[in-house]
Amino acid sequence: MDGWKRFGGRALIVLPLLLWTETAVGHDDGRYANSPLKPWFDSLKSHLGPCCSNADGVALADLDWESQDGHYRVRIDGEWVEVPDDAVITEPNLAGRTMVWPVKTLYGISIRCFMPGSMT
């Protein structure tokens, strides 16, 4: 019975944290269903996993990303976020514009995928 009490106490601590954490769920709302680049976007992945689709990515203006010493950072919602090296997509950018796939959680913003545009 003591084991169940300990488990119940831990569950009461962990459960609210799980409920408050936002998860990154891909959403294809059909906006890009007829785009010739849709299959390419859907196939994109970094070393951190699939990027999802164009609908999940955010196009960045040249002022909202930069490269220094071979590393990238992006500005999302007014905050500069370091791009992990494993998030960088190294295949040719067929879209031409810089894109980022951010994951927003209770703990901040992380980058799942980043594709540099023509500025590089």
Side-chain angles (χ1 to χ4, degrees):
M1 188 76 168
D2 269 345
W4 283 107
K5 285 183 182 179
R6 280 192 301 239
F7 174 76
R10 289 182 186 146
L12 288 175
I13 293 170
V14 173
L15 186 59
L17 293 174
L18 292 174
L19 293 175
W20 287 333
T21 303
E22 298 176 31
T23 56
V25 178
H27 60 278
D28 185 357
D29 60 9
R31 279 183 289 175
Y32 304 102
N34 296 322
S35 169
L37 292 179
K38 183 176 179 0
W40 175 74
F41 272 112
D42 289 341
S43 72
L44 287 176
K45 60 184 174 186
S46 70
H47 290 290
L48 299 177
C51 301
C52 295
S53 71
N54 188 34
D56 300 314
V58 177
L60 296 175
D62 285 344
L63 295 174
D64 290 327
W65 71 282
E66 60 187 22
S67 174
Q68 185 173 11
D69 299 325
H71 300 282
Y72 298 98
R73 69 181 194 145
V74 296
R75 185 173 27 211
I76 300 173
D77 297 336
E79 174 186 346
W80 283 102
V81 180
E82 298 293 323
V83 175
D85 292 339
D86 286 343
V88 178
I89 300 171
T90 57
E91 70 178 79
N93 183 341
L94 299 181
R97 61 192 186 267
T98 301
M99 294 195 68
V100 64
W101 285 258
V103 177
K104 297 178 182 180
T105 69
L106 181 63
Y107 304 106
I109 299 171
S110 62
I111 305 301
R112 179 142 179 120
C113 298
F114 174 76
M115 184 171 49
S118 58
M119 190 171 130
T120 59

